[in-house]
């Protein structure tokens, strides 16, 4: 890890860059916010604790009785430093599939293994035999995408029955189907991104291609099996009677077929072999950035709890948040007097230089132009960008259209889409409408996207959606010469508001992998820094912005 700590280094002198905070921790408003955020964070931690248990007690007991290690423990054994790891999609599958797919039944963690930044992808065999539900596949593919974009070595800890046959239409034939895993593996291997596998349990049918397509593969005695068709299928198809080990065990694959390269006695032996393989990669990470020593923020990050309002509609100064995320609370603000509903500026986060683009109100033409200009600066200097999203959308109305807000917004969307420096997005409040696009929402491929437990994400706010739809309905009634009863109208609106409330929850989003995780504001600095450090493995391509419509 690069970081060197210089804690409590607050000898600020006459430093103009330090953000001046105006919050009053004694105010009732602050205390209400603090209490409510504390509740949200404790709920988040509780949910994560439950999810981290994995499958049912019975299936975990059976797993362990077979001499196998649970997926999170396997990962912990591999990591050089488990305190500096970044889990992806921890809440995937939340409230989906009758809550039977904790973490999408696959655990994906980024961390160093024998010094190499890696993406570890571990099946959870305690959940329906580790078989792939649509969410499992989506998470596996997202992890591969992260690995590809950030040049992370891939380590597969395979223990899976392959396709969940009851879910086959959701995982098989489409472009983003199971086959895409092997496509991505082949393409990553072709550009030198290592693909390493340990077969720690079942590895059936299409799944057999994971170890078979890997650069190097380990298989465990007795528990590990690799075959295109298991004994039941072989019997049904050809009449041949065989057993799992004879058909595709460690002895067969390391002595006869050559599908696997290393024979391991048990899980820990296999994981240690992986560590040795990783030592032989001859990789040296090079930093193209001017890194500094990390310095704590001048203001306590815990105060973020008291700053975030209980209602998204309430305005607050986003610089109060920035002051609690960046080193020494220093922000070198760019165009501070222009387009003030967006804050742009340079800072360091745990010693890493970043450009910040943060909402401080609705987006206008000026704020869009300012952000576009700032993104060009970051691109030219090779500085990663952190987007802090709390956005209701773009300003609407005749005079704004007349001034061409659509083309100014488009310039920002163009810059966000084509900039080649690493982009990271953190949703710290609302993420609505075209504001989500302009502020580097999921569709704009930020390297990582995280949210806070108070966030909301939807095409527009529930109340506005209810008003839009009820006004459409009202017009239909009018055309028929009928009157819509007030009570019915209210019920209609309530239904829509409830729907948007439920669907706008960060858990709804995280369950479907619209983000990479929900973070406690207190852990955010470190997690963003980990994302940034991992992004520095990949070389920047020479990019070009599209046409900025003037
Ligand atoms: N599709 C759907 N469900 C599956 C499944 C599959 N491919 N494989 C296993 N399951 C389910 C089982 O029905 C069982 O469900 P339950 O808990 O509701 O009863 C659960 O997963 C655990 O299976 P079980 O066989 O009891 O666990 P195990 O640890 O002893 O064995 C496997 C796990 C994966 C090795 C074994 O179930 C198996 O060989 N499955 C078939 C794999 C296969 O042929 N896949 C085809 C891929 S194209």
């Amino acid at each position: 890890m690069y970081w060197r700590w210089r804690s409590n280094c607050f000898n600020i002198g006459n430093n103009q860059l330090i953000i001046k905070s105006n919050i009053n921790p004694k105010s009732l408003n602050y205390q209400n916010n603090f209490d409510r955020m504390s509740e949200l964070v404790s709920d988040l931690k509780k949910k994560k604790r439950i999810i981290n248990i994995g499958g049912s007690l019975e299936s975990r007991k059976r797993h362990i009785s077979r001499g196998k290690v649970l997926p999170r423990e396997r990962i912990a054994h591999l990591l050089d430093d488990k305190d500096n790891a970044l889990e992806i999609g921890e809440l995937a599958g939340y409230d989906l599939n009758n809550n039977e797919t904790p973490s999408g039944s696959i655990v994906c963690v980024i961390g160093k293994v024998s010094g190499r930044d890696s993406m570890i992808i571990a099946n959870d065999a305690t959940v329906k035999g580790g078989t792939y539900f649509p969410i499992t596949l989506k998470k596996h593919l997202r992890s591969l995408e992260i690995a590809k974009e950030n040049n992370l070595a891939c380590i597969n800890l395979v223990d899976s029955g392959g396709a969940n046959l009851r879910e086959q239409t959701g995982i098989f034939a489409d472009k983003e189907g199971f086959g895409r895993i092997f496509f991505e593996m082949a393409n990553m291997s072709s550009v030198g991104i290592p693909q390493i596998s340990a077969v720690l349990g079942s590895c059936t049918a299409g799944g057999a291609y994971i170890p078979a397509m890997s650069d190097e593969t380990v298989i465990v005695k007795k528990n590990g099996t690799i075959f295109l068709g298991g004994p039941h299928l072989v019997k049904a198809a050809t009449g041949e009677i065989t057993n799992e080990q004879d058909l595709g065990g460690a002895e067969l694959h390391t002595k006869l077929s050559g599908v696997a390269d290393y024979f391991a006695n048990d899980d820990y032996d296999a994981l240690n072999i992986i560590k040795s393989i990783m030592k032989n990669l001859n990789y040296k990470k090079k930093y193209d950035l001017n890194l500094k020593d990390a310095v704590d923020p001048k203001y306590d990050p815990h105060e973020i709890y008291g700053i975030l309002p209980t209602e998204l509609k309430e305005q607050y100064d986003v610089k109060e948040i920035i002051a609690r995320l960046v080193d020494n609370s220093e922000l070198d603000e760019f165009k501070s007097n222009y387009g003030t509903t967006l804050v742009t500026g340079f800072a360091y986060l745990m010693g890493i230089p970043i450009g910040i683009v943060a909402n401080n109100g609705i987006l206008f033409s000026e704020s869009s132009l300012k952000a576009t200009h700032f993104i060009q600066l970051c691109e030219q200097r090779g500085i990663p960008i952190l987007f802090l999203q709390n956005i209701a959308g773009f300003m609407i109305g005749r005079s704004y259209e007349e001034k061409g807000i659509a083309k100014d917004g488009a310039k920002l969307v163009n810059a966000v889409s084509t900039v080649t420096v690493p982009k990271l997005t953190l949703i710290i409040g609302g993420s609505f409408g075209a504001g989500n696009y302009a502020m580097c929402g999921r569709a704009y491929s930020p390297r990582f996207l995280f949210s806070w437990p108070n966030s909301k994400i939807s095409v527009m706010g529930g109340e506005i959606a209810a008003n839009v739809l009820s006004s459409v309905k009202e017009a239909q009634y009018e055309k028929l010469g009928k009157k819509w009863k007030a009570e019915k109208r209210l019920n209609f609106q309530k239904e829509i508001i409830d729907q948007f409330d439920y669907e706008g929850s960060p858990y709804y989003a995280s369950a479907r992998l619209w983000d990479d995780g929900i973070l406690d504001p207190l852990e955010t600095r470190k997690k963003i820094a980990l994302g940034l450090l991992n992004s520095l493995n990949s070389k920047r391509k020479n990019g070009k912005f599209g046409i900025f419509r003037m």
Side-chain angles (χ1 to χ4, degrees), residues 62 66 128-129 131 160-166 202 204-205 244:
R62 201 170 40 167
R66 290 169 172 164
K128 298 281 174 202
T131 54
S160 161
N164 188 297
L165 296 174
R166 291 180 184 278
S202 175
T204 308
E244 293 199 338

Side-chain angles (χ1 to χ4, degrees), residues 272-289:
N272 291 337
I273 294 171
I274 294 266
K275 289 194 207 189
S276 310
I277 292 172
M278 298 298 288
K279 277 191 197 135
N280 296 325
L281 295 178
N282 189 27
Y283 177 80
K284 191 163 188 320
K285 187 167 175 178
K286 295 184 194 86
Y287 295 100
D288 284 338
L289 282 177

Side-chain angles (χ1 to χ4, degrees), residues 103-278:
S103 289
S105 71
I106 193 163
V107 186
C108 304
V109 174
I110 299 171
K112 280 196 192 299
V113 179
S114 303
R116 173 71 162 102
D117 288 328
S118 305
M119 169 64 82
I120 307 171
I121 303 171
N123 298 119
D124 188 348
T126 69
V127 182
K128 298 281 174 202
T131 54
Y132 279 68
F133 286 70
I135 192 64
T136 320
L137 177 62
K138 189 170 182 186
K139 184 164 162 185
H140 195 142
L141 290 175
R142 169 66 188 144
S143 303
L144 295 181
E145 181 179 53
I146 292 174
K148 186 160 76 174
E149 284 178 352
N150 299 291
N151 183 14
L152 307 177
C154 295
I155 301 175
N156 303 290
L157 303 183
V158 189
D159 194 349
S160 161
N164 188 297
L165 296 174
R166 291 180 184 278
E167 301 282 341
Q168 61 104 10
T169 60
I171 58 168
F172 179 58
D174 206 352
K175 184 180 169 208
E176 305 286 292
F178 205 86
R180 190 77 189 182
I181 295 175
F182 319 127
F183 174 88
E184 296 296 355
M185 287 178 73
N187 278 286
M188 272 193 265
S189 182
S190 79
V191 293
I193 302 177
Q195 304 294 310
I196 313 295
S197 286
V199 180
L200 308 160
S202 175
C203 184
T204 308
Y209 285 104
I210 292 180
M213 305 265 320
S214 291
D215 304 343
E216 292 181 68
T217 290
V218 187
I219 185 167
V220 174
K221 184 172 84 177
K222 282 192 191 143
N223 284 329
T225 53
I226 307 172
F227 31 65
L228 295 181
H232 298 294
L233 180 61
V234 169
K235 186 176 168 206
T238 68
E240 184 186 353
I241 299 195
T242 175
N243 64 50
E244 293 199 338
Q245 283 303 311
D246 281 352
L247 189 61
E251 296 275 349
L252 177 128
H253 284 309
T254 52
K255 285 188 183 157
L256 301 175
S257 73
V259 172
D261 312 303
Y262 303 88
F263 180 96
N265 287 310
D266 58 22
D267 276 21
Y268 287 117
D269 191 23
L271 297 169
N272 291 337
I273 294 171
I274 294 266
K275 289 194 207 189
S276 310
I277 292 172
M278 298 298 288

Side-chain angles (χ1 to χ4, degrees), residues 28 194 254 279 323 433 450 465 500 539 549:
L28 191 62
T254 52
K279 277 191 197 135
F450 295 107
F500 270 66
K539 290 241 170 327
R549 178 182 286 277

Side-chain angles (χ1 to χ4, degrees), residues 142 145-146 149-150 385 387 416-425 436-437 439-449 514 516:
R142 169 66 188 144
E145 181 179 53
I146 292 174
E149 284 178 352
N150 299 291
I385 306 173
F387 291 86
V416 166
S417 305
T418 52
V419 68
T420 65
V421 292
K423 305 172 277 194
L424 276 83
T425 302
N436 166 291
Y437 307 153
M439 288 298 291
C440 202
R442 194 60 147 182
Y444 295 83
S445 289
R447 300 286 182 99
F448 298 95
L449 189 153
W514 300 346
D516 295 311

Side-chain angles (χ1 to χ4, degrees), residues 398-412:
R398 168 100 181 44
S399 66
Y400 299 99
E401 299 290 354
E402 188 184 284
K403 284 196 211 128
I405 193 162
K407 70 177 183 181
D408 292 333
K411 289 185 193 87
L412 176 53

